[in-house]
Amino acid sequence: MHPQSEAARPTAPTSRRQIADAGRADIVMGWARGALAVATATVLTLVVARVGSGRSPFGVLTHRGTPGTFAQQVSEFTATVLPGLLVAWCLGFAAAAVAVRATWLGARIAGVLAAALGVVAGTALVVLSR
């Protein structure tokens, strides 16, 4: 074998600290993923409920409007809601990755707070872009 191929191969965690960090990262990311999934499901449920009551997805967010064609509704939904969801998930995961090292926070609390930061940023983007 070449020395370069051995150096490029990932190593398994060997110290107790590395093993503990890996377990903590799984817990933090799992709670962040769960909280972001609940927030996403809530947003989509609210949008579907409002559309079912006779408003377009864009009208749901601006509290006005009537449904147009299906293509218009999909494009309005995509342009309005999906960027906020993307920001929420990306920032939530980024914050969770940083929060793994915050040992003064519990792993569950760190994951939920990271997801909450992402949700707040995504909501702010949707509100500011209306």
Side-chain angles (χ1 to χ4, degrees):
M1 281 204 171
H2 297 294
Q4 292 176 349
S5 64
E6 288 183 28
R9 197 176 332 163
T11 60
T14 55
S15 72
R16 289 183 189 203
R17 172 75 178 181
Q18 289 174 327
I19 293 169
D21 285 348
R24 180 175 169 76
D26 287 343
I27 293 169
V28 171
M29 295 304 275
W31 277 88
R33 183 175 32 257
L36 287 166
V38 167
T40 300
T42 302
V43 166
L44 295 178
T45 301
L46 290 173
V47 168
V48 168
R50 294 293 299 264
V51 169
S53 70
R55 293 181 184 239
S56 70
F58 187 72
V60 167
L61 298 171
T62 60
H63 302 293
R64 61 182 159 79
T66 57
T69 66
F70 180 75
Q72 287 174 333
Q73 290 183 26
V74 169
S75 66
E76 289 173 353
F77 173 78
T78 302
T80 306
V81 175
L82 289 184
L85 289 175
L86 180 65
V87 165
W89 279 85
C90 290
L91 187 61
F93 279 148
V98 171
V100 167
R101 290 289 184 174
T103 56
W104 54 275
L105 280 174
R108 293 177 185 148
I109 293 171
V112 171
L113 287 177
L117 177 66
V119 169
V120 167
T123 303
L125 176 68
V126 170
V127 168
L128 293 174
S129 67
R130 293 199 284 173

